[in-house]
Amino acid sequence: MSEDDYHKILVGVDDSADALAAFQYAIHRARVDGASLVITTIMESDEMNVYEALSKDYVHGERKDLEQHLSEYVQLAEKAGIKDVRAVIGEGDAGETIVKTLIPKYQPDLLVIGAAAKKGIARHFGSQAAYMAKYAPCSVLVVRE
């Protein structure tokens, strides 16, 4: 590992084609650099209506689905040879949660994200990727499929 290599990579995932491409790139980069990998997905509360948000069963079910989904990503990363992999579920606005909470907590030197999200109200009001690229205190790679 040289000093130009990344040591910790944070990758944001959902089911969009761009996010899957970002995940594949993050695995490649982590393998080449010998970096650790933090895989995150964000449970966006603005996607739930008020009844869903108030229902603990609904929120618990959503979180359980995300945990299962992330565990599949972890397995793929480990199968690809990444030795240090962890999964994290954030809550709130995707861009803000990643920039203001996850990056300070995990301190990656590279954030890898897809250019477009599959779902979420934020896709209608501007790019989460642009927000993260502008405000993240680390290098950001935006991947398109």
Side-chain angles (χ1 to χ4, degrees), residues 17-133:
D18 285 351
L20 293 173
F23 175 70
Q24 291 172 343
Y25 179 82
I27 285 177
H28 166 75
R29 186 82 263 152
R31 193 172 45 229
V32 167
D33 292 352
S36 62
L37 184 63
V38 179
I39 306 166
T40 188
T41 193
I42 308 299
M43 190 164 80
E44 296 183 73
S45 55
D46 61 1
E47 293 178 10
M48 291 182 245
N49 66 43
V50 69
Y51 300 108
E52 292 169 339
L54 292 173
S55 168
K56 289 182 182 177
D57 289 338
Y58 179 83
V59 173
H60 180 72
E62 283 284 303
R63 186 169 192 86
K64 202 77 167 149
D65 290 346
L66 288 176
E67 288 171 358
Q68 175 60 37
H69 198 63
L70 275 181
S71 118
E72 293 168 9
Y73 280 108
V74 168
Q75 290 172 8
L76 288 170
E78 289 172 341
K79 193 174 183 180
I82 309 304
K83 304 222 182 316
D84 184 5
V85 182
R86 94 175 42 162
V88 176
I89 296 175
E91 293 183 27
D93 173 78
E96 284 188 15
T97 300
I98 289 172
V99 169
K100 295 178 179 177
T101 304
L102 299 180
I103 290 175
K105 182 174 183 176
Y106 295 101
Q107 300 185 348
D109 36 17
L110 177 64
L111 170 62
V112 183
I113 50 173
K118 181 177 180 185
K119 60 183 184 172
I121 196 166
R123 75 180 189 279
H124 300 295
F125 297 108
S127 171
Q128 291 291 306
Y131 175 87
M132 289 182 269

